[in-house]
Amino acid sequence: MDWAGWALFGLLATAALTAVLIAAQLAGVTRLDLPLLLGTLVTEDPDRARFAGFFVHLGVGEVFAFGYAATFALLGRAAWWLGGLLGLLHAAIALTVLVPLLSGVHPRIASNRAGPASTAALEPPGLLGLNYGARTPLVTVIAHVVYGTALGLLLEAS
Amino acid sequence: MAPPIEDYAMLGDTRTAALVAPDGSIDWLCVPRFDGEPVFGRLVGGSGAGSFRLGPAGPAGSFSVRARRYRPDSATLETIWETRGGSLTLTEAMVGEVAGRLLPTTLLVRRLSADAGPVEATLLFDPRPGVGRSRPRIEHRGGVLVASWPGTAVAVQAEPHVRVEAGRPVTVRVEPGRPLTVAVSVADREPLVHVTAATAWAALEADERAWQAWCRGIDEDLPHRDMVLRSLLTLRLLTYSPTGAPVAAPTTSLPEHVGGIRNWDYRYAWPRDASIGVGAFLGVGKDQEARRFMAWLLHATRLYRPRLPVLLTVHGRRPVAEREVTGWPGYAGSRPVRFGNAAADQHQLDGYGWVLDAAWLLTDAGHGLYAETWRAMAGFADTVAARWREPDAGIWEVRGPGAHHVHSKLMAWLALDRAIRIAEHRGPRRRRFGNAHARRRERWRRERDALAADITDRGFDAARGTFTRSYGSAELDAALLVLPLLGMLPADSPRIRTTIDAIRHDLHAGGPLLYRYPPGRDGLPGTEGAFLPCSFWLAQALAASGRLREATELFDALVELASPVGLYAEEMDPATRHHLGNFPQALTHAALVQAALAIRDARQPQYAAAQSSLDQ
């Protein structure tokens, strides 16, 4: 396994994950928009937020790719199916921990406790991101399995 | 015997709302959201569906309501009873502002105080969660009663301490100077947060000050300003703060005709009704509320665009499939009780017009649309341009075959007109895509002009000189009262004047009341009441078409029809003057504010000049 490849492969895998999410959005399957959620940390304008958020997302993807590469190194092997399994775990953590927690720190995501004084504009994702559409968990799982599989394949091949 | 609908008052926290009867019984409360499951459902579910009463002890005739009102510029309700032992005051509210503090997401605070001598009071806490009206698990933890069922827990705490028993009335002696404070906390898929009575009361007082601050600065010149403020507060209380979605009403299945079947679930957000609310909020300088609606609309319609859904849940989802609940007796025997709303599947053309008009109002008020918002609006305009020749269900959501509703066509005209206005407003910033934009605008302009010709040709009764309910029909539709506001014809044109007068005559329901269309002509058995928003639209139309005196007289008469605490349902029985339909109704309150704004504007000396420039 080529440890040094994680940076480039992380970018590729994150791009693939983003592509799955955008395709699902365009197909009307989910309203989950990670670049928008991340980008609205820095700007209110949805278009600018998506642009900024895409790069934030790439950065976050790199950090996770490092974790995948480290896990493969610990296990002594990289494989597409192992990456897929890690992707499943990653999706589970994202849906149950990371996305719901966003409303606690994100200045523009309201929480379910928001009251009359709230000026936050983005609705909270809720458990499993279900507020963004009933098929959001499914899309998230697919996107992360694609991410993990891509990393497993690329790191195995390198 | 259920109290009349107008005798209920609403408590709200901008996430859900409760209805309180004059005897202090909360007969309706859904948690954790407006469209959640009812915990207290007696309003339409009978006594087995639960309620929470705090009020004078004794049978109904042994006490009387001396006064009932909201405290000025707030959401705090005050009820004063005269009893044999003296007067008893119940002060109550739900706490809206819980973010950033360790408070329960849903917190209801009720305080009973005796003014002169000691008074016996009754506390009956009987939660029956869900459609199944099941009995929850009951525990006493310390001095707190906790009722729980899967995922949810409700805690009741009283100070001075009272051992509350679920489903059994408890008699309490309230001494002067020693008020009884009851705090009800709800936890939904989270741990319960217990609060002391003092903390709960302090939260209620802080909320009251926040609402008073919210009301400060609203135009002093508005006619019946107190009623306008009550309407604005009601609209805000019906707006779900976590997403900005405004629900039509907090209730389901309050009947449009007592004993009838016109019982619908209104605990959802209709983009059309909400757009009317945007105009109301903008008109009084509450721009933040107006902008939040547009943000919600943008996010909520993401999966459906360029189609505009008729209604959505507060989280932008499709409502659950409409179902009739067996075993629920309904309000005063009005069955069925429905959960969910099948109107979600309809095609309604008019919604596009309301939404694009709201977008134009925001643009015109200096709130430029984000590029994504504009793309969504332009997509809606494209849909209208492509589909306006199809029949639709219309604003009244008639269940049956579609028709060519003239009001829908007018609103389609409005959608295209406002899209053109916004595009022209944005024009200079979009030169690089000039040709494509120009072609799109040209298409909208072409379709808008074709619509105007079609409406004039097929939707106008030349013999009477009036616009009609639908193509080929001789009937009238009170929704046509929007005519003077659109700009398709001059507001004071003879065609508009004749249509307004014909609606006043043909759809007259007694006094200031109007039917929305000839009663019973909607394919459903039975009849319905007069439609209150239409009367406010008439006042608005009269003011907008230069008939200020008539508008003011009508508005004065309509204000008299409010419930004792200043609320309105959707409809009113013309004979008994009892309110009908879900309560309180956002559309009626938004229409009240719009009528007040139109009258205020018509009083301005510069109004005539502004009006003539709009018509050009």
Side-chain angles (χ1 to χ4, degrees):
Chain A
M1 191 187 83
D2 177 12
W3 240 107
W6 71 265
L8 175 62
F9 299 155
L11 284 180
L12 292 174
T14 308
L17 181 151
T18 311
V20 171
L21 287 179
I22 290 173
Q25 255 188 283
L26 293 177
V29 177
T30 178
R31 287 185 282 121
L32 178 65
D33 187 339
L34 277 179
L36 178 75
L37 290 183
L38 295 170
T40 44
L41 282 164
V42 291
T43 175
E44 201 177 33
D45 181 331
D47 285 337
R48 290 176 197 277
R50 277 198 191 90
F51 184 77
F54 177 73
F55 290 102
V56 176
H57 193 215
L58 280 184
V60 173
E62 287 286 68
V63 173
F64 278 105
F66 183 82
Y68 277 67
T71 308
F72 290 141
L74 275 175
L75 296 172
R77 63 183 298 197
W80 67 267
W81 60 269
L82 205 49
L85 283 177
L86 285 176
L88 267 180
L89 179 68
H90 185 175
I93 293 170
L95 284 168
T96 56
V97 181
L98 301 180
V99 171
L101 284 185
L102 260 181
S103 55
V105 293
H106 196 302
R108 293 191 174 90
I109 294 184
S111 86
N112 283 329
R113 294 164 55 78
S118 171
T119 55
L122 280 172
E123 69 170 327
L127 182 68
L128 304 180
L130 281 168
N131 289 353
Y132 296 163
R135 287 176 287 182
T136 300
L138 179 68
V139 171
T140 308
V141 167
I142 292 171
H144 285 83
V145 168
V146 165
Y147 174 85
T149 306
L151 273 177
L153 267 176
L154 292 165
L155 286 167
E156 182 184 22
S158 63
Chain B
M1 179 76 180
I5 289 170
E6 67 274 14
D7 280 357
Y8 281 94
M10 181 178 75
L11 308 176
D13 61 8
T14 74
R15 295 176 291 277
T16 187
L19 289 196
V20 197
D23 67 352
S25 176
I26 291 180
D27 290 346
W28 185 253
L29 173 65
C30 295
V31 295
R33 298 180 306 273
F34 293 107
D35 60 353
E37 297 220 307
V39 179
F40 307 122
R42 191 170 80 152
L43 183 68
V44 291
S47 56
S51 61
F52 173 25
R53 175 157 187 257
L54 188 61
S62 63
F63 57 87
S64 61
V65 175
R66 188 176 86 200
R68 197 157 186 244
R69 57 158 198 161
Y70 286 105
R71 286 185 175 176
D73 302 352
S74 82
T76 307
L77 181 71
E78 203 170 67
T79 308
I80 304 172
W81 292 282
E82 285 301 337
T83 74
R84 288 182 189 132
S87 67
L88 189 66
T89 302
L90 175 63
T91 308
E92 56 190 329
M94 295 181 75
V95 177
E97 215 54 78
V98 297
R101 289 184 288 172
L102 188 57
L103 290 174
T105 306
T106 305
L107 175 59
L108 169 68
V109 190
R110 317 185 83 186
R111 171 173 280 186
L112 268 182
S113 48
D115 299 337
V119 180
E120 299 269 294
T122 291
L123 192 163
L124 171 61
F125 180 76
D126 187 17
R128 298 292 185 89
V131 170
R133 298 177 291 188
S134 53
R135 288 184 188 278
R137 181 177 172 211
I138 302 292
E139 293 166 272
H140 284 92
R141 299 179 192 163
V144 182
L145 178 142
V146 178
S148 59
W149 56 97
T152 309
V154 181
V156 191
Q157 196 163 351
E159 200 173 299
H161 175 66
V162 175
R163 185 178 166 87
V164 181
E165 299 291 347
R168 274 218 321 267
V170 178
T171 302
V172 191
R173 190 178 170 88
V174 183
E175 305 277 353
R178 288 196 73 211
L180 172 73
T181 306
V182 181
V184 178
S185 318
V186 181
D188 181 70
R189 291 163 183 82
E190 61 188 4
L192 261 173
V193 179
H194 294 292
V195 288
T196 63
T199 304
W201 187 252
L204 177 149
E205 289 184 321
D207 247 35
E208 192 170 323
R209 287 192 295 276
W211 283 121
Q212 285 163 350
W214 189 81
C215 290
R216 229 170 277 138
I218 290 177
D219 196 345
E220 296 287 340
D221 294 334
L222 286 163
H224 294 283
R225 183 174 181 271
D226 54 336
M227 293 298 294
V228 176
L229 286 186
R230 183 53 46 206
S231 289
L232 289 165
L233 280 164
T234 305
L235 288 171
R236 184 62 190 88
L237 286 169
L238 292 176
T239 301
Y240 182 65
S241 282
T243 62
V247 297
T251 56
T252 178
S253 301
L254 286 177
E256 294 172 5
H257 174 66
V258 173
I261 65 159
R262 289 172 166 84
N263 319 317
W264 316 112
D265 191 350
Y266 274 24
R267 300 170 303 148
Y268 303 109
W270 272 254
R272 172 187 55 233
D273 298 9
S275 302
I276 300 170
V278 167
F281 280 126
L282 274 178
V284 297
K286 291 289 174 195
D287 294 20
Q288 182 64 33
E289 281 72 11
R291 291 183 66 192
R292 283 213 72 199
F293 160 71
M294 199 49 80
W296 169 77
L297 186 75
L298 191 67
H299 201 58
T301 59
R302 186 73 184 82
L303 297 183
Y304 313 96
R305 293 194 307 243
R307 189 176 72 80
L308 178 69
V310 173
L311 65 143
L312 293 159
T313 69
V314 293
H315 281 295
R317 297 187 210 164
R318 271 178 66 85
V320 294
E322 183 175 292
R323 68 189 195 282
E324 298 175 358
V325 182
T326 51
W328 282 47
Y331 174 85
S334 308
R335 282 187 292 271
V337 171
R338 294 184 174 92
F339 284 80
N341 196 311
D345 297 322
Q346 291 183 343
H347 167 52
Q348 296 178 16
L349 197 56
D350 70 292
Y352 297 90
W354 296 109
V355 165
L356 273 145
D357 191 46
W360 165 244
L361 288 174
L362 275 167
T363 305
D364 196 38
H367 302 292
L369 303 182
Y370 293 126
E372 187 187 359
T373 313
W374 170 233
R375 283 197 298 276
M377 297 301 132
F380 292 150
D382 287 340
T383 301
V384 171
R387 297 192 63 182
W388 70 262
R389 290 177 177 82
E390 300 171 19
D392 79 331
I395 183 174
W396 306 128
E397 303 180 346
V398 173
R399 295 181 177 202
H404 290 282
H405 295 99
V406 175
H407 172 260
S408 297
K409 307 294 185 200
L410 286 169
M411 297 310 286
W413 182 94
L414 182 73
L416 295 172
D417 181 74
R418 297 312 189 248
I420 294 164
R421 288 189 193 199
I422 300 170
E424 284 169 353
H425 192 270
R426 296 173 59 86
R429 288 189 284 161
R430 291 289 178 267
R431 285 265 160 78
R432 64 184 187 278
F433 301 118
N435 287 340
H437 282 280
R439 279 196 301 275
R440 200 179 201 185
R441 268 211 303 274
E442 191 45 47
R443 182 183 177 219
W444 294 341
R445 196 169 278 120
R446 206 170 50 241
E447 295 298 335
R448 180 191 64 176
D449 296 344
L451 254 163
D454 200 55
I455 294 165
T456 311
D457 185 34
R458 302 167 68 194
F460 187 75
D461 181 344
R464 289 192 73 189
T466 66
F467 289 93
T468 60
R469 183 178 176 189
S470 58
Y471 288 176
S473 160
E475 289 177 356
L476 288 165
D477 179 352
L480 296 171
L481 290 166
V482 296
L483 267 163
L485 314 171
L486 306 183
M488 193 177 95
L489 293 170
D492 57 356
S493 83
R495 288 182 170 201
I496 290 182
R497 172 178 274 271
T498 315
T499 303
I500 291 175
D501 289 339
I503 288 170
R504 287 183 94 174
H505 178 267
D506 286 19
L507 299 179
H508 182 63
L513 298 174
L514 287 179
Y515 292 111
R516 49 180 163 174
Y517 44 73
R521 299 296 298 272
D522 55 9
L524 292 173
T527 185
E528 65 171 12
F531 202 80
L532 286 166
C534 294
S535 292
F536 286 110
W537 290 345
L538 176 59
Q540 186 184 11
L542 289 168
S545 54
R547 298 160 73 175
L548 180 58
R549 189 182 55 78
E550 292 169 85
T552 307
E553 284 171 5
L554 177 61
F555 192 66
D556 291 346
L558 288 168
V559 162
E560 294 298 317
L561 299 179
S563 82
V565 295
L567 303 178
Y568 291 87
E570 185 178 43
E571 299 191 5
M572 177 169 278
D573 185 322
T576 64
R577 296 289 166 96
H578 284 310
H579 289 233
L580 294 169
N582 286 307
F583 182 82
Q585 173 80 11
L587 182 61
T588 313
H589 285 281
L592 182 151
V593 178
Q594 295 276 35
L597 291 168
I599 291 170
R600 178 197 66 181
D601 293 346
R603 287 174 178 167
Q604 309 294 325
Q606 68 274 28
Y607 173 73
Q611 188 64 16
S612 73
S613 75
L614 178 73
D615 293 339
Q616 282 161 11

